[in-house]
Amino acid sequence: MARPRDPNPLGRNGVGDARLHSFHEAFMRQAIEGARTAMHIGEVPIGAVVVRDGHVVARGFNQPIHSQDPTAHAEVVALREAARALGNYRLPGCSVYVTLEPCLMCVGALLNARVGTVVYGAAEPKFGALRSILTIEEVPANHRFEVVSGVLEEDCRRLVVDFFRFRREEG
């Protein structure tokens, strides 16, 4: 599969490129599978994949409860795996696909890893640090990455909504 030129499926002017959108959706579906894995072990259903040159190099899913590690968010788990796989803590040219808008901690990790693009599914109004509680453009950092939002948004949102609805009903 060829690597896309523009990481934004809607283009700079909001006009979509169907092939690029399909490209993003294919990787987001893999992140959704990770989110389902997290849900099955009782974690908030968030999944992430790291992609380089059109290939998945790492996967992660939320596991702070299971691992007793407050930093074991899907993005951080995937970044750690990608760094090991690629032999570098810097991940230039990589895209990270994540089902839910990353929190402030994860945005910091993404900036430090020097990823090129972050693609997320659903916004996170309480903790999302790319567009919700703050915008990445406001962060005074020496690195910037492209942000693409809303890829398979409803599927990603539904996982989280259903998870918390079930938890409320359960207990």
Side-chain angles (χ1 to χ4, degrees):
M1 182 179 285
R3 187 172 181 194
R5 288 187 203 127
D6 180 357
N8 188 340
L10 300 178
R12 304 264 182 239
N13 59 6
V15 177
D17 177 325
R19 287 178 302 160
L20 186 53
H21 195 70
S22 293
F23 182 85
H24 285 322
E25 285 184 355
F27 291 117
M28 188 60 74
R29 287 186 205 295
Q30 292 185 50
I32 288 170
E33 286 307 310
R36 288 189 177 120
T37 299
M39 183 172 54
H40 290 305
I41 64 169
E43 299 277 359
V44 176
I46 301 171
V49 296
V50 178
V51 175
R52 183 165 154 192
D53 297 326
H55 301 286
V56 174
V57 296
R59 301 169 195 281
F61 58 87
N62 232 26
Q63 47 192 300
I65 298 166
H66 186 75
S67 66
Q68 297 183 348
D69 177 356
T71 69
H73 290 197
E75 302 92 311
V76 173
V77 172
L79 289 173
R80 287 175 180 157
E81 184 179 312
R84 282 190 296 273
L86 298 173
N88 193 345
Y89 74 104
R90 296 273 169 91
L91 304 172
C94 290
S95 297
V96 176
Y97 290 79
V98 60
T99 56
L100 198 65
E101 181 182 5
C103 71
L104 191 56
M105 176 187 71
C106 292
V107 168
L110 294 161
L111 287 168
N112 281 308
R114 305 294 196 267
V115 299
T117 305
V118 176
V119 181
Y120 69 90
E124 208 320 334
K126 293 181 181 176
F127 296 105
L130 292 177
R131 297 283 184 258
S132 295
I133 62 169
L134 60 89
T135 61
I136 190 63
E137 292 80 15
E138 295 171 0
V139 176
N142 62 350
H143 175 72
R144 297 277 180 230
F145 49 74
E146 181 82 24
V147 176
V148 179
S149 62
V151 176
L152 296 177
E153 181 175 13
E154 187 52 38
D155 295 341
C156 294
R157 180 184 349 271
R158 178 65 36 213
L159 280 169
V160 175
V161 167
D162 288 350
F163 175 80
F164 283 110
R165 179 181 303 130
F166 177 77
R167 297 275 302 258
R168 281 190 302 275
E169 290 171 0
E170 186 180 62

